[in-house]
Amino acid sequence: AQSVAQPEDQVNVAEGNPLTVKCTYSVSGNPYLFWYVQYPNRGLQFLLKYITGDNLVKGSYGFEAEFNKSQTSFHLKKPSALVSDSALYFCAVRALYSSASKIIFGSGTRLSIRP
Amino acid sequence: DSGVTQTPKHLITATGQRVTLRCSPRSGDLSVYWYQQSLDQGLQFLIQYYNGEERAKGNILERFSAQQFPDLHSELNLSSLELGDSALYFCASSVMGASTDTQYFGPGTRLTVL
């Protein structure tokens, strides 16, 4: 069975500091990993995804994520946080069992950036 | 703006009632997904359609059903509503419904069951 874990409900960072939002996954076979962000009263917005290739994936708004197969992790990072990055972040995993594979979302991490 | 539209934005109804949520995918996308987001259950995948056919099923209750029409819009029908069905319901779409596809989410429909 596939699963994804976001161990931190909330992450607090000062503006200008680097940020990391953690995600670990469990899946049989090759994982396809995604990060989405949700602003208040809005739908989820796609940030980035890892399918194959370079372990460091660059996405929208200056975010990047590093795929680590040995640690089964896909942590989201940004070198310098902005107050506007404050939102709810979801990690998701999907595995290619078949074309009917399902996407599983983590429980979400609330990122709070203080000025 | 993702290009995915959902109507209505808000829906307030009573227990035992039936409602229909509507979703129009992005232009060119063939696959539609439905999700439920609640405080206690998080974001749960309900069902996926691809070009009118059911592709994958998640934690969808028997009281819920969905379909995708020839013009590719989709409807999620919720019946015999219970208080616990109060949640945000999201629709997403993707090009082919493949595992590698990026899903683009609509703004959601907030359902309140009183």
Side-chain angles (χ1 to χ4, degrees):
Chain A
Q2 61 190 74
S3 64
V4 60
Q6 293 181 244
E8 301 156 316
D9 289 337
Q10 174 127 2
V11 171
N12 300 309
V13 177
E15 187 174 28
N17 283 1
L19 68 88
T20 299
V21 183
K22 295 179 181 176
C23 171
T24 59
Y25 66 89
S26 174
V27 69
S28 300
N30 293 325
Y32 301 135
L33 296 153
F34 304 79
W35 275 102
Y36 286 84
V37 59
Q38 184 178 24
Y39 297 100
N41 301 313
R42 303 280 292 276
L44 277 69
Q45 293 179 36
F46 170 73
L47 279 179
L48 50 81
K49 67 181 176 183
Y50 172 82
I51 303 300
T52 187
D54 195 347
N55 289 343
L56 186 64
V57 179
K58 293 191 184 297
S60 307
Y61 312 121
F63 283 93
E64 59 188 28
E66 186 165 12
F67 172 65
N68 188 316
K69 190 171 184 177
S70 62
Q71 297 186 4
T72 61
S73 67
F74 189 56
H75 301 332
L76 181 71
K77 300 182 180 186
K78 188 172 181 180
S80 179
L82 299 173
V83 172
S84 57
D85 293 330
S86 298
L88 188 56
Y89 289 79
F90 289 95
C91 179
V93 65
R94 197 169 182 184
L96 186 59
Y97 301 123
S98 72
S99 59
S101 69
K102 305 166 194 176
I103 190 167
I104 304 295
F105 282 84
S107 54
T109 297
R110 189 164 299 282
L111 179 63
S112 178
I113 309 299
R114 59 184 184 275
Chain B
D1 184 3
S2 66
V4 178
T5 60
Q6 289 186 248
T7 56
K9 287 186 91 169
H10 302 277
L11 201 47
I12 301 174
T13 188
T15 54
Q17 294 298 304
R18 172 190 168 95
V19 297
T20 298
L21 313 184
R22 183 189 168 103
C23 167
S24 292
R26 292 187 322 156
S27 177
D29 284 359
L30 298 178
S31 195
V32 168
Y33 311 75
W34 285 98
Y35 293 89
Q36 179 193 58
Q37 186 179 33
S38 60
L39 282 174
D40 55 341
Q41 297 281 346
L43 192 60
Q44 301 264 325
F45 165 71
L46 296 178
I47 197 163
Q48 177 195 356
Y49 280 83
Y50 171 74
N51 206 21
E53 299 290 326
E54 183 183 304
R55 172 67 68 86
K57 220 167 186 175
N59 302 322
I60 188 165
L61 300 172
E62 284 191 17
R63 300 184 285 108
F64 296 179
S65 64
Q67 58 185 130
Q68 186 180 25
F69 294 87
D71 67 352
L72 301 177
H73 91 272
S74 178
E75 292 180 358
L76 178 67
N77 300 296
L78 315 176
S79 61
S80 302
L81 284 167
E82 302 175 359
L83 296 177
D85 298 327
S86 296
L88 256 176
Y89 290 84
F90 288 109
C91 166
S93 73
S94 74
V95 177
M96 296 294 291
S99 297
T100 54
D101 275 7
T102 295
Q103 294 182 32
Y104 294 91
F105 283 74
T109 294
R110 183 172 292 280
L111 174 66
T112 302
V113 182
L114 301 175

